Structure formats: structure tokens, C-alpha cells
Amino acid sequence: MRHSKGALMILPIVLLLSGCGLLGQSTEAKTEELRAIYQAMTGFQASAEITADYGDRAYQYTVTLSGNASNGTMTVTAPESIAGTGTAWSGGSASLEYEGISLETGALSPDGLSPADAMPVILSACQSGSVIESGSPAWGEDGESLYLLLQNPKTADEESRVAIWADPETYALRQADILWGEDRVVSVTFTEFTIEEG
């Protein structure tokens, strides 16, 4: 059995905070604002640290990302041995590419999620995932963060969920975890995230 590495340990704390306001607004109002921004965005630019957890092994990558919910790219910048490997997503499907060659990636969860699918799933959840839990936990020196646990809208299986932490003013993503049941299968910590609005 894969260990969730504390992903769900955070949830009880968040539940206690769910009644707190974010900069004078309720988490419900902030959630609606976040959803509207991600539905209207024309694109995004980001840098992130990604951990893909297969249970018996885990892989860590540093990446740059750009695109929108429908089309985009992710390029690995570290580790050096796979730098230049890229993921492209378009029209709901994703593939891993290296020097123009599409590569298969193993499934992280029973619904077939692979590391190449992570960003489209996260963006789709921000746009239309049903809210399971919400809160406003502290986020280091940056003050509060908007926390949402969302149903993954790309699958009918209720075991697949997406947890996000976002800046409560700009709605830029700070972290996103894709969960399967009790397990955190993908964790994305954003070091930069810029939303492009039309």
C-alpha cells in the first residue's frame, strides 16, 4: 500500500479553518472567483517541482510549463539526465516527448493517470471540479492560502481528487496534489505561476 506522505493529514486542519475569511471574503466567494478566473484565462506560465509517486518508487522533476487548459507543454529542466523531455497536451490527451519521439509513461492510479496528465487535470479541476472541502490555512510568510479539495472532473471515479493551494488575491497556484483514495500520487509545488487573462 502506498503511503500518502501526509497529504491527508492536512485535511482535518483545513476543515477547522473552513469558516475563516480570506481577506474579508468567505472561502465560497473566493472559490467562485478562482473558478471564473481559470475558466476565462487565455494561458499561464509556470515553474514547478513535481513528485510522481508510484508507491514502490517516486520520481522528482523540475519543470517549466505554459499553455492553457486545452493545450500546453511541460519541459523537464532537472534532473540533467532527462532535461529536455517534454509533455504536450491537446484536446484532452497528453503524451511525453523527447527529441520529437513520443514516450509511454506508466499509470499512477487505476484510472490510468500518468505524469503527462497532471497539469491538464489540475487546470480542469480549477475550472469545474466539484468542491469537497475548502479552507484558508496559513502559507509560510505569505499569510493565508485558499485551499480546495476538488473532485477530478476528468473521471467519474470518486477516488480521484485534486487538492490545490492558491494565492487568495491573484489565484496563482502554490501547490496542487492529485489524490487517489488515501494516496497522493502527484504533488506539484509551484515556484512561479502567472495567469494570462484575455
Side-chain angles (χ1 to χ4, degrees), residues 19-90:
C20 299
L22 285 155
L23 303 174
Q25 287 185 287
S26 68
T27 54
E28 292 81 5
K30 285 290 187 181
T31 299
E32 290 307 311
E33 287 182 15
L34 177 138
R35 193 178 307 282
I37 284 176
Y38 279 86
Q39 288 172 349
M41 81 171 185
T42 57
F44 76 96
Q45 302 286 331
S47 298
E49 304 287 334
I50 296 180
T51 300
D53 188 346
Y54 287 87
D56 59 343
R57 65 196 189 283
Y59 299 102
Q60 295 183 318
Y61 316 95
T62 302
V63 301
T64 58
L65 305 110
S66 64
N68 55 45
S70 301
N71 304 285
T73 60
M74 175 179 76
T75 303
V76 177
T77 58
E80 189 175 332
S81 59
I82 59 168
T85 304
T87 297
W89 65 88
S90 179

Side-chain angles (χ1 to χ4, degrees), residues 116-196:
D117 302 311
M119 202 61 206
V121 166
I122 292 165
L123 294 173
S124 182
C126 289
Q127 291 179 322
S128 61
S130 299
V131 179
I132 300 168
E133 297 171 0
S134 62
S136 54
W139 190 267
E141 297 177 357
D142 295 325
E144 291 182 331
S145 188
L146 173 62
Y147 166 82
L148 299 172
L149 179 63
L150 305 161
Q151 200 65 51
N152 177 359
K154 288 187 169 285
T155 178
D157 199 313
E158 294 184 358
E159 291 291 294
S160 183
R161 295 161 294 139
V162 179
I164 67 163
W165 291 260
D167 184 297
E169 293 183 18
T170 67
Y171 301 102
L173 293 176
R174 291 172 169 167
Q175 183 171 328
D177 293 346
I178 300 178
L179 311 170
W180 181 267
E182 298 289 319
D183 300 325
R184 179 174 62 182
V185 294
V186 177
S187 182
V188 184
T189 301
F190 295 94
T191 53
E192 294 180 24
F193 197 96
T194 304
I195 297 169
E196 300 170 4

